[in-house]
Each structure stands twice: as structure tokens, then as C-alpha cells.
Amino acid sequence: MINTRRNFVNKLMLGLFSVATFVALVPLFALLGYVIKNGITSLNLDFFTKLPAVMGMSGGGMANAIAGTLILIAIASIIGIPIGILVAIYLTEYDRYSWLSTTVRFTTDVLTGIPSIIIGIVVSMAIVAKTKHFSAFAGGVSLAVIMIPLVIRSTEEMLKLVPHAIREAGYALGISQRRIILNIVLPTAAKGIITGAMLAVARVSGETAPLLFTALGNQYWTHSLFKDPIASLPVQIYTYATSPYDEWHRQAWAGSLVLIAIILCLNLIARFAFRSRSN
Amino acid sequence: MGQSLSIRQLEAWYGTNQTLKGINMEIAANQVTAIIGPSGCGKSTFVRCINRMHETLPGSKVKGEIILNGESIYGQDPVSLRKTVGMVFQKPNPFPSMTIFENVVAGVKLNGMRNRQNLQTIAEKSLRMAALWDEVKDRLNYSGMSLSGGQQQRLCIARALAVEPSVLLMDEPASALDPIATMRIEELVGQLKSEYTIVIVTHNMQQAARIADTTAFFLNGELVEHGPTSEIFTNPRDKRTEDYITGRFG
């Protein structure tokens, strides 16, 4: 009698979990399917090689926006990843318990939750207003500011996973702390650190709001990273999708597909390329 | 060659908890000195003071004097002291990102030696001394983690020997190993004492009786008794030592 009840409850709960999982997956696959369905028809070689057509005309592509997105990701990574990793090393290896590191950790958590549009406005005031130019640099900095707390947190977690016994083994051999960090702790945590950094890159490559105030976007090739606005896929998608032209709507779908593909690639690289160095 | 140690009025704290109380002890060169005592009696803290590892823990404090070969260790740079006073830990802890070869030479390499030929000589010599060479000579480029627990521990011993210390501290080096691996470590300790002064912490009184020339009994942070191993086990001077070795407590 009790057993039948237990079995019944077991089946009921299992059913509920399956339904919940299914419900969670439906929007994801629906979204992917919809973007692929709408985007794939407008995707052609021109899309990757040509500049946008004149307003309302058919043809043209998003070559500048694709390149722009890659440039912005590169700038953000060059600034954000080293700073994030260095801060995480400070927090785990040099100063785990002081008020300074507690404050930094708290600030990092707060920064992770700040809406990206606010970061965009602040960077815009700090760089665009000062230099009097929208620029790839300003855009890259705003993305870097979003990345830094993500990189700090993921790197810190990875460094904490390195057993203390490993560091002690290094100390006991008379190795300096600098060498222990560089040659023992970092290589041990390398896979996780790189994965975390790649996921942070993937996270910011779809950001739109901060770029509206900093990189702005344009319809041609950018010649200066510091003086010219630069196009990016998210902003281009935003501009095209809110325009009244059908042709631009189609291109916005194609752009969305390319953007998702880039992010997917970054995620896959993060998951697989650094997965196995074991033997 | 091994060097002698002389410990004078050594006191150590962990936070507000005093783990060592006024230890005075002479450790002779080229002998195996076993430290025995119940858990929490300060034996690990004691050996960790000798290579100044205790001070690396947050909230720790040390007072007193340790003289190594006529010179105070507290007047020396701790990083260079640890090249003279090597240590092997309870749990084998090879560097996970390194191969067997890299593990053995880690100490010398990260202290600046780059010459490949020298590194190879050192690696072979250290692995031979640790009685591991024959088992790993064909797979020096495998990860150190691919070895069994006992082999990993001998790898850690080889790694400690590679920096050519004169004192070797061993903090329960066999307690995580099976009986066969334990036996090999014990044999090794017996062979190494001609070259090194060895201080070994052990939970296992039979082990102390088998391998140590002198044995020191610690209780509640105090050194109760230190003398030739045979005397400690057959004819202890202190009642507490007798109670402990006869299994009345601990």
C-alpha cells in the first residue's frame, strides 16, 4: 500500500520534471529554428563580402558589421581578459582575506548585475565625450567593462580549485611565489581559466545597448579605431529590424543568424578545444 | 651531507591556539628522528616550523630559535632555507600540470637551471635515490598523476631530493599508502639517512620502531620525551610515554 503510493508519487514527480525540462527547451529551439528559417534565405556570399546597400535598395551585405563585431570583441578581450585574470590572481594568491579583497569581490558582484546600457552611458561620458568621437576603442572598452567582472569571478573560482597542497609543495621546494603562480598554479587551472574567458567573450559579443553610445555603427568601412564609429552586428540588426524596409528586415535575420553562429562557435571552442590535454 | 638541528624554546601559535610550548630538542645529523604522538599534539606544526612553512598560514606565529648547522633559520630568507630543508607531505602532491620528468626537476628548474643535460642528470639521480627510476624511466613524459599513490609519493620524494637539501622533513609520508608502498618508503628512508638528516612524523608507532634512530614523543604541544628509539619503546622515563606506547590512550 505504502509502496504503491511511493511509486505513484515518484512517477508523478518524474513526469513534472520532464515537463519542466521540455518547457525550458521549447523557447530555445523555437528561437534557434526561427532565426535559422528566416536568416538562411538571405544569407549569401554578398552578405559576408559587401557593404550595406543604399537605404531601401536590395542587395548589399554586412561585411563591415561582421568585421566590426570581431574587432570590438578583440579590443574587449585584449583589455578585459588580462585585467580580469590579474585581479583574480591578486584575490586568490596574494590577498584572500583583507578588507580590500572583500570590497573588490563585493564590487565585482555588483558590477556583474549592472545593466549593460548603464555601462555604455558611463563609458560614453568618459571616452566619447572626452575624445569627441564615437569609436571602436570606446565600444571595446564598454564591452571590456562588462567582461572584467565575469573573468574575475570565473578565474577566481578556477584558482580556488587548485589544491593548497600544490602551492605548499612548491613552497617546500624553495620556489618563489612568483614562479609558483606562473609555472604551477596557472598551468594547473589553465583550462578552466580559458573556458571562463571564452564564455565571457561569448557573453559580450551579443551586447547591443552599450555599443549604441560608444561604437554607434555606420554603413561603411572604418579607418580609425579611435576616431570613427564602427559597425557591429547587434547594432546593425537593431537598426535594420526597426526600419520600414522588407529587404532590411531580411538582412537583420541573416545578421542574427551570423551573430548566433559566432557566439555558438566561441562556446564550442571554449568547451572542446581546451577540454583535453590529459594523457 | 646531513646537518644537525638544535631547537630552543620553540613556541608556535595558530590563531590564539598555542600548538607548541617551549620545545627544546637536538636532532643529530644523518639520523632518522621520528616524532610520535596523538592527533593534535603539534607534531605536524613542529616539522612545519623547521622549514618555516608554519608561518605561511594566516594567523600563525612563532617564537624561539632553531639552529641549523650553527646558523639561526630565522635569520635566513625562508625561500632559500627551504632548498636546504626539504619536505614530503602526507598526501602525495605531484604538480598536476607537469610530467614525471618536469615534476622531479621542478625545484631546480624554477630556481633558474635551464641546461637540459644537467636537468636530465639530476632527474635520473633523484629518481634512482627515490627507488622509482626503474618503474618510470620509459615514461618520463607521462603526467605525474598517472602513477599509483605509492609511486606518486616516491616521485614527491625524488622531487624533494632534486634540490639537494641536507634535511628532509616527512609529515606522515606513508599514512595514505597501502602496506607494500609503505614498506618501500620505509626502506627508502633507511637508505637516505646516509645522505640526509631525516625527521619523520608518524602516527604509526611500529613504523617509528622500525625506522627511527631516535624517537620524540609529543603531547599537547609539549615534548614529553626524546631518546634512542629502543629506550623509548622498552624503557620510557615518563609515565605518559609509557601510557601512550602501551596503547592506554591516543
Side-chain angles (χ1 to χ4, degrees):
Chain A
M1 156 58 193
I2 289 171
N3 263 351
T4 29
R5 197 184 116 82
R6 184 169 57 74
N7 282 330
F8 172 73
V9 173
N10 183 35
K11 289 213 173 79
L12 181 75
M13 295 316 283
L14 197 59
L16 282 176
F17 295 145
S18 316
V19 170
T21 310
F22 184 71
V23 168
L25 286 177
V26 165
L28 178 68
F29 283 101
L31 187 141
L32 270 178
Y34 203 64
V35 172
I36 293 171
K37 178 172 150 285
N38 286 289
I40 204 123
T41 47
S42 313
L43 218 50
N44 50 34
L45 190 62
D46 278 1
F47 187 84
F48 292 99
T49 56
K50 291 232 166 89
L51 288 175
V54 182
M55 195 175 283
M57 301 289 282
S58 65
M62 286 198 187
N64 62 333
I66 294 171
T69 281
L70 296 177
I71 289 171
L72 286 166
I73 292 175
I75 295 175
S77 305
I78 289 168
I79 300 172
I81 294 175
I83 293 182
I85 291 178
L86 289 176
V87 172
I89 290 175
Y90 177 79
L91 290 179
T92 45
E93 304 299 321
Y94 286 97
D95 187 12
R96 270 197 199 195
Y97 307 104
S98 79
W99 64 269
L100 177 63
S101 48
T102 314
T103 314
V104 171
R105 242 176 243 126
F106 177 72
T107 316
T108 309
D109 284 343
V110 173
L111 206 55
T112 320
I114 288 182
S116 57
I117 191 161
I118 295 174
I119 291 173
I121 293 173
V122 172
V123 171
S124 167
M125 296 302 286
I127 297 181
V128 177
K130 285 274 174 352
T131 60
K132 307 265 191 292
H133 293 288
F134 291 102
S135 64
F137 174 68
V141 168
S142 64
L143 296 185
V145 172
I146 301 171
M147 273 175 78
I148 287 171
L150 301 173
V151 176
I152 292 177
R153 274 322 214 172
S154 64
T155 307
E156 199 190 351
E157 289 311 314
M158 288 306 138
L159 291 177
K160 274 197 206 153
L161 284 181
V162 176
H164 190 61
I166 299 296
R167 295 181 180 85
E168 290 214 313
Y171 282 121
L173 290 172
I175 301 172
S176 65
Q177 188 175 18
R178 180 176 68 99
R179 284 277 153 224
I180 290 175
I181 294 170
L182 279 177
N183 297 68
I184 297 170
V185 176
L186 283 180
T188 307
K191 263 189 297 183
I193 293 174
I194 293 167
T195 305
M198 295 297 284
L199 291 177
V201 171
R203 159 77 213 290
V204 298
S205 43
E207 282 291 343
T208 319
L211 297 179
L212 291 171
F213 307 104
T214 51
L216 191 67
N218 59 23
Q219 303 288 64
Y220 42 86
W221 291 109
T222 293
H223 296 291
S224 164
L225 294 180
F226 294 96
K227 291 188 170 168
D228 285 339
I230 190 166
S232 62
L233 278 171
V235 175
Q236 198 83 340
I237 292 165
Y238 170 76
T239 316
Y240 275 30
T242 53
S243 76
Y245 312 110
D246 280 348
E247 174 67 17
W248 277 18
H249 291 169
R250 277 194 291 278
Q251 294 228 329
W253 281 114
S256 309
L257 183 57
V258 172
L259 185 58
I260 288 182
I262 291 177
I263 294 171
L264 192 69
C265 285
L266 288 172
N267 270 293
L268 289 180
I269 292 172
R271 295 240 182 278
F272 293 107
F274 303 99
R275 191 172 57 175
S276 58
R277 228 201 78 201
S278 53
N279 34 9
Chain B
M1 277 308 278
Q3 295 177 352
S4 63
L5 282 159
S6 153
I7 291 100
R8 294 177 195 160
Q9 279 304 320
L10 184 71
E11 318 226 315
W13 287 262
Y14 189 72
T16 53
N17 183 21
Q18 185 169 9
T19 46
L20 289 179
K21 299 166 188 161
I23 307 288
N24 285 296
M25 187 171 162
E26 298 294 324
I27 294 174
N30 295 99
Q31 292 219 328
V32 178
T33 304
I35 314 283
I36 60 168
S39 296
C41 69
K43 14 183 230 304
S44 283
T45 309
F46 176 71
V47 289
R48 290 171 61 91
C49 281
I50 300 177
N51 68 347
R52 297 187 63 179
M53 289 285 286
H54 178 67
E55 301 156 51
T56 63
L57 299 169
S60 60
K61 207 174 85 181
V62 185
K63 246 173 70 182
E65 195 57 274
I66 297 179
I67 312 287
L68 172 65
N69 210 26
E71 219 182 314
S72 164
I73 66 163
Y74 292 106
Q76 299 177 28
D77 174 47
V79 174
S80 26
L81 169 74
R82 292 180 196 128
K83 290 174 205 162
T84 320
V85 184
M87 184 158 184
V88 176
F89 296 83
Q90 179 172 6
K91 270 178 73 181
N93 53 3
F95 300 128
S97 60
M98 296 186 189
T99 64
I100 293 171
F101 176 79
E102 287 168 334
N103 259 290
V104 179
V105 298
V108 275
K109 198 172 167 192
L110 298 185
N111 278 318
M113 183 183 288
R114 285 279 173 269
N115 185 318
R116 180 93 198 159
Q117 197 64 47
N118 287 353
L119 289 177
Q120 248 149 9
T121 317
I122 291 172
E124 180 171 347
K125 187 176 157 217
S126 313
L127 283 168
R128 279 190 192 284
M129 279 201 288
L132 189 62
W133 175 252
D134 290 328
E135 289 159 65
V136 301
K137 63 176 183 231
D138 299 321
R139 45 179 179 150
L140 291 174
N141 287 323
Y142 282 46
S143 163
M145 307 302 280
S146 67
L147 300 173
S148 73
Q151 289 173 325
Q152 285 188 16
Q153 192 62 301
R154 275 179 283 146
L155 177 64
C156 292
I157 293 173
R159 181 176 69 182
L161 299 180
V163 286
E164 301 195 323
S166 51
V167 177
L168 190 60
L169 309 171
M170 305 178 107
D171 189 358
E172 301 189 32
S175 67
L177 305 180
D178 64 68
I180 306 278
T182 301
M183 198 180 74
R184 302 215 55 172
I185 302 278
E186 289 182 6
E187 281 170 13
L188 185 56
V189 169
Q191 289 156 16
L192 289 175
K193 74 172 179 181
S194 58
E195 303 270 337
Y196 306 90
T197 302
I198 295 174
V199 182
I200 182 167
V201 172
T202 177
H203 243 109
N204 180 334
M205 280 179 277
Q206 285 77 27
Q207 183 171 65
R210 283 192 296 266
I211 61 177
D213 299 301
T214 71
T215 296
F217 173 56
F218 277 58
L219 187 64
N220 296 329
E222 285 172 54
L223 172 61
V224 175
E225 191 169 345
H226 179 208
T229 301
S230 52
E231 252 172 61
I232 294 280
F233 281 97
T234 53
N235 190 17
R237 276 165 289 156
D238 197 292
K239 181 82 173 69
R240 289 169 294 176
T241 315
E242 190 185 333
D243 287 349
Y244 183 70
I245 58 157
T246 53
R248 226 159 283 171
F249 75 97

